[in-house]
Amino acid sequence: MLLEELSADECMVLAQIAGPEGVLEVGSCAITEGEPGDSLFIVQSGRLQVEKEIGENSTKRLQELGPGDFFGEMSFLNKAPRSASVRALTMCSLLEVNAEKFERLIAENAPLGVKFMRGMARELTWRLRATNEELKKSIRWAIEGWTLT
């Protein structure tokens, strides 16, 4: 998990630079694919769904998130538009970590930044492995389906 290496004191330091996103109603989007962004969000409570547009009026559910999970890291890291939308499945409470404030924090507290980024890297590695497996299944389906016809 993102914050598992952080001590209680380090979590408090991080909370000081984070702004609460507030409560998200069921069905509302925390972030929308294609919009600009430079923050990541940590789920404090509730359940959310990450979804990707795959065609006109069609989306694919990528992942479900719950307390302790995070999202928005791609825009947080490279300031590019949001790559997917995240919608509340239940009432949710989120913590927002702005990239600029975080960069100032790690300039003052590098060990905290290293622990935070290590937690993010662990989770991103897990997500990449899961995506690779999904891609493998899709390729096998396409090849086997193609050769059967």
Side-chain angles (χ1 to χ4, degrees):
M1 295 198 85
L2 180 63
L3 306 178
E4 73 183 354
E5 280 191 43
L6 274 60
S7 68
D9 288 343
E10 289 169 325
C11 285
M12 293 293 281
V13 170
L14 183 62
Q16 290 173 352
I17 66 141
E21 177 67 10
V23 175
L24 220 57
E25 299 290 329
V26 174
S28 60
C29 280
I31 61 174
T32 303
E33 185 174 347
E35 289 188 350
D38 67 350
S39 296
L40 72 78
F41 299 86
I42 302 169
V43 182
Q44 292 181 301
S45 66
R47 308 274 326 149
L48 300 105
Q49 175 174 288
V50 181
E51 50 193 38
K52 178 79 176 155
E53 291 181 23
I54 57 171
E56 192 173 319
N57 299 322
S58 183
T59 59
K60 175 168 179 18
R61 179 191 170 279
L62 300 178
Q63 185 177 12
E64 190 171 310
L65 305 170
D69 290 330
F70 65 93
F71 60 92
E73 71 284 346
M74 292 170 72
S75 293
F76 175 79
L77 292 170
N78 69 9
K79 316 277 189 292
R82 301 292 186 187
S83 63
S85 296
V86 178
R87 183 178 313 279
L89 297 172
T90 65
M91 294 276 289
C92 298
S93 177
L94 307 174
L95 196 63
E96 180 178 6
V97 180
N98 174 274
E100 186 177 316
K101 289 180 182 178
F102 182 74
E103 288 170 10
R104 285 196 304 265
L105 171 70
I106 62 173
E108 298 169 5
N109 190 339
L112 171 58
V114 168
K115 288 179 182 179
F116 186 89
M117 296 304 273
R118 189 180 302 132
M120 189 183 308
R122 262 193 314 274
E123 176 66 19
L124 293 177
T125 301
W126 179 87
R127 291 178 187 179
L128 182 57
R129 288 179 189 277
T131 300
N132 286 344
E133 283 303 309
E134 285 294 317
L135 179 59
K136 181 173 104 176
K137 289 177 189 174
S138 296
I139 291 170
R140 289 186 75 185
W141 177 84
I143 290 171
E144 290 170 4
W146 183 25
T147 58
L148 293 175
T149 59

